[in-house]
Amino acid sequence: MTETLEVIGRLDPGLSAFIEVWGEDALARERATDPGLPLAGFPFAVKGPSGIRSYAARRLVAAGAVPVGSTSVPGPGTYWQTWGLGAHGPTRNPWRADRTPGGSSAGSAAAVAAGMVGLATGSDGAGSVRIPAAWCGVFGLKTTNGLLPSPDRTGLAAAGVLTPTAADARPYLRCVLDGYAPAPPALPLRAVWSPDLGFAATDPEVAGVARAAVARLESAGVVRMAATGCVLLDPLDAWSAVRGGRPAQGAAVREENDRRLDVLFAQADLLLTPATPNRPHGHEGPGTDVYSTALTWAFNLSGHPAACIPAGFTGDGCPVGLQLVAAHGADVSLVEMAVAAQERLITVRP
């Protein structure tokens, strides 16, 4: 624990991933923790000021893990200010300080990517775990909507986690899920690729990095690609209607996308897409009509579990994430599929 707090103290002034660091409390908790617990003394961070009260944080603490602080989330301002405001100003991307880490689980992703903690809780209502995971080059998981308790009354937000690799997320699932029983996936996995889900304006270089990662997975025998793709209706208006308390206005789009996804997952194990259509933008914002959520929020509407693994880098040194979407309730299987993919996916920074 002392080493973790030293690393945070050394790195966080430059990254501003934390709102608060609970140093003395963490040391006291570590001393009082039963050494026989499965995660005794394991340091982790929680998302935002209220993260310590989340269901996942309570389960992790019950398993002996020790919360070391709360991570930054968006501050007040325009809709695109998703980088988080920590104790030292805007949260910076560990790969490029002039870029945002994404949000809203901004500090959680930055803290994990910088090696300050090995696990941080998150929540995902439109891509808030997967986007920062992609832009910070770490693993991120949005669980099946409704699988774990969430304070979001709209039903769009689901609990999630950020870890250095997919394998590192196993202790989280072991703590938060009763009856956790992982099994190795049967390879090759039946997979469908879509660079844009039929509507997103994906940056060609971002799409190219993600597709190259899929090609490496094909060559390694991890996936067998279907000839068909995935075309959905743009969920922007439907998501906005649900978030605004008008779910009936988005019902038709939601029902049609659910139907198309039911057909897809009757024939495939995974849907693969870039996690975001764009690379990390600067701290001044993404520009007009740029939706970093374009490839993620469809699955907040549909409720499917979705993960992000590092896929590679653009020429300007920005990480790109590969999104993996699985059938409802297949969270444990999804993480094991992500482990199999990440173990065979070597990403090299340019």
Side-chain angles (χ1 to χ4, degrees):
M1 188 62 60
T2 300
E3 180 180 355
T4 294
L5 295 173
E6 186 277 328
V7 172
I8 293 172
R10 176 164 47 85
L11 297 181
D12 197 52
L15 292 175
S16 196
F18 283 87
I19 299 171
E20 294 182 329
V21 178
W22 307 319
E24 292 301 319
D25 183 65
L27 291 169
R29 282 178 179 267
E30 182 187 34
R31 290 191 294 268
T33 297
D34 179 352
L37 291 172
L39 293 182
F42 178 77
F44 75 100
V46 299
K47 177 184 176 178
S50 62
I52 192 62
R53 298 194 297 272
S54 70
Y55 174 81
R58 296 198 307 270
R59 293 293 293 259
L60 289 165
V61 169
V66 177
V68 298
S70 59
T71 58
S72 61
V73 291
T78 54
Y79 71 91
W80 48 260
Q81 287 182 321
T82 57
W83 59 73
L85 294 175
H88 305 283
T91 306
R92 300 165 187 87
N93 190 310
W95 291 97
R96 284 195 52 164
D98 63 330
R99 304 294 176 94
T100 171
S104 61
S105 303
S108 287
V112 170
M116 289 190 273
V117 290
L119 185 153
T121 63
S123 59
D124 190 315
S128 294
V129 164
R130 290 160 287 162
I131 293 168
W135 287 355
C136 290
V138 299
F139 175 75
L141 171 70
K142 178 197 85 70
T143 56
T144 298
N145 291 47
L147 180 68
L148 301 174
S150 169
D152 179 20
R153 295 181 179 179
T154 68
L156 292 172
V161 67
L162 296 111
T163 54
T165 71
D168 296 319
R170 287 166 171 158
Y172 171 87
L173 287 181
R174 188 178 298 114
C175 286
V176 301
L177 295 180
D178 296 325
Y180 170 75
L187 304 181
L189 301 164
R190 301 167 300 163
V192 172
W193 160 255
S194 177
D196 55 14
L197 294 177
F199 57 83
T202 306
D203 178 325
E205 188 178 3
V206 169
V209 172
R211 185 63 183 91
V214 173
R216 297 201 298 276
L217 293 178
E218 286 185 275
S219 297
V222 177
V223 298
R224 182 179 69 249
M225 302 307 298
T228 58
C230 177
V231 175
L232 301 179
L233 302 178
D234 188 342
L236 189 159
D237 291 339
W239 186 95
S240 300
V242 173
R243 176 57 74 189
R246 307 179 305 278
Q249 294 182 18
V253 168
R254 196 173 191 177
E255 290 171 5
E256 177 58 21
N257 280 349
D258 285 350
R259 185 192 67 78
R260 296 183 188 187
L261 290 168
D262 285 345
V263 171
L264 186 151
F265 286 114
Q267 306 170 53
D269 304 301
L270 284 176
L271 168 61
L272 303 174
T273 78
T276 66
N278 54 314
R279 66 194 75 196
H281 55 74
H283 296 290
E284 74 283 356
T288 305
D289 296 329
V290 174
Y291 289 92
S292 303
T293 55
L295 296 170
T296 51
W297 53 7
F299 308 110
N300 295 91
L301 277 171
S302 69
H304 290 83
C308 174
I309 61 174
F313 295 83
T314 53
D316 57 355
C318 292
V320 172
L322 178 67
Q323 179 173 227
L324 295 76
V325 187
H328 289 118
D331 300 66
V332 175
S333 296
L334 174 59
V335 169
E336 294 306 311
M337 289 187 278
V339 170
Q342 195 169 7
E343 285 177 346
R344 295 162 176 82
L345 198 59
I346 300 173
T347 58
V348 180
R349 185 177 183 179

